[in-house]
Amino acid sequence: MTMREAIAAYVHDGDTVSLEGFTHLIPTAAGHEIIRQRRRNLTVVRMTADIVVDQMLAGGCVSKLVSSFVGNSSAGSLGELRRRIEHKVPEPLEFEEYSHYGMVCRYLAGAQRLPFYPLRSYAGSDLPSVNAGIRKITSPYPGPDGGEEHVHVVPPVNPDVTIVHAQRADRAGNIQIWGLTGIQAEAVYAAARAVVVVEEVVDDEVIRSDPNRTVIPAHAVDAVVVCPRGAHPSFAQGYYDRDNAFYRAWSHISKDPARLREWMAEWVYGTRDHEEYVAKLGETSRAALAVGDAMSLPVNYGRRL
């Protein structure tokens, strides 16, 4: 599907939308299309709430954020998010906070349709005091000392739709990812619907030749969208580099509400789709993000003679 078709079909007002991708393969282009289609009252679930979340907040799409990290990817702050949480301007944002591993456990529980997931790492943390969703239960088994043990648990997350970015797919929708694979597969399995944005669609034989890179199989995918450079300003391992200059600039853009509105008007509302956005970046900018080859050695899977 085109990005416009996929967002129109699978993202609705009031939905819980998971946007996953860690460091690279961040589904920025999908976030922009959600803004263009003026979706409202979304609950966004994203382990590392970053630029795409800040932009969706500026677009008026998000009423609740579920996350374990908030920041501009080591390059500064998220101005729109900070205004909403710290000052409730232009309106408050409901924020539900977990640790990284707590979010991983929520996706694992959601993907496996479990009622909760236990973890030990909240012992000594103050997160349970600010999040009623983090609870403590009595283990049905003896603890290490043979006595009764109490462990923290987190609830499952089952988004209405999960959107992830990936390197490539075949025509059936088998999705291959390499580099940091993150929690994308679990986020897809936890959701009712799944949209995967890819850099390219390749022949079936390419996917079959390297099956271990198929992180998300076709049966879990509702729509595949081909969108080259759809993760910008993040990177796609093997396709293009991270746009560090953009990340550094974003802190200054988002800090000033007027400048942020101008940026949104020019780069999101002012572009018809991500192809126009990429063209607007210019050849010089695109060339600066080019990557060289770092080929993986072939693997012999063997076959029956």
Side-chain angles (χ1 to χ4, degrees), residues 86-281:
E86 295 176 353
H87 306 294
K88 299 179 173 53
V89 175
E91 59 186 17
L93 172 67
E94 184 179 354
F95 180 40
E96 189 174 314
E97 184 181 8
Y98 295 86
S99 64
H100 266 5
Y101 186 58
M103 287 293 293
V104 169
C105 290
R106 291 200 70 196
Y107 279 126
L108 288 170
Q112 298 175 58
R113 301 306 188 264
L114 293 171
F116 56 82
Y117 207 96
L119 66 167
R120 296 183 185 276
S121 58
Y122 284 135
S125 166
D126 64 353
L127 272 175
S129 70
V130 298
N131 185 344
I134 301 170
R135 301 181 185 179
K136 189 175 280 189
I137 64 169
T138 302
S139 171
Y141 303 103
D145 61 358
E148 190 174 78
E149 182 178 19
H150 301 278
V151 295
H152 284 100
V153 296
V154 292
V157 59
N158 292 109
D160 295 298
V161 59
T162 286
I163 303 174
V164 298
H165 197 95
Q167 279 102 334
R168 67 190 183 195
D170 64 14
R171 290 169 294 178
N174 293 296
I175 309 297
Q176 292 198 332
I177 298 175
W178 57 94
L180 289 164
T181 54
I183 200 72
Q184 284 95 312
E186 290 80 0
V188 163
Y189 275 116
R193 306 180 293 274
V195 175
V196 182
V197 185
V198 295
E199 292 293 319
E200 61 177 335
V201 169
V202 297
D203 290 339
D204 298 0
E205 291 73 19
V206 174
I207 301 297
R208 290 178 179 175
S209 72
D210 195 2
N212 279 31
R213 292 195 212 281
T214 304
V215 175
I216 303 170
H219 69 259
V221 178
D222 292 282
V224 172
V225 174
V226 180
C227 185
R229 294 184 180 266
H232 179 271
S234 74
F235 66 104
Q237 190 77 47
Y239 288 78
Y240 47 90
D241 205 353
R242 171 181 151 118
D243 191 342
N244 289 308
F246 185 96
Y247 278 97
R248 288 191 294 270
W250 184 254
S251 292
H252 303 287
I253 294 169
S254 65
K255 185 177 181 179
D256 181 344
R259 188 175 176 187
L260 175 57
R261 286 193 297 270
E262 291 171 359
W263 187 93
M264 294 285 290
E266 179 179 357
W267 287 90
V268 180
Y269 298 116
T271 54
R272 182 178 55 188
D273 52 28
H274 196 70
E275 186 176 359
E276 281 195 6
Y277 171 95
V278 170
K280 190 175 176 64
L281 285 174

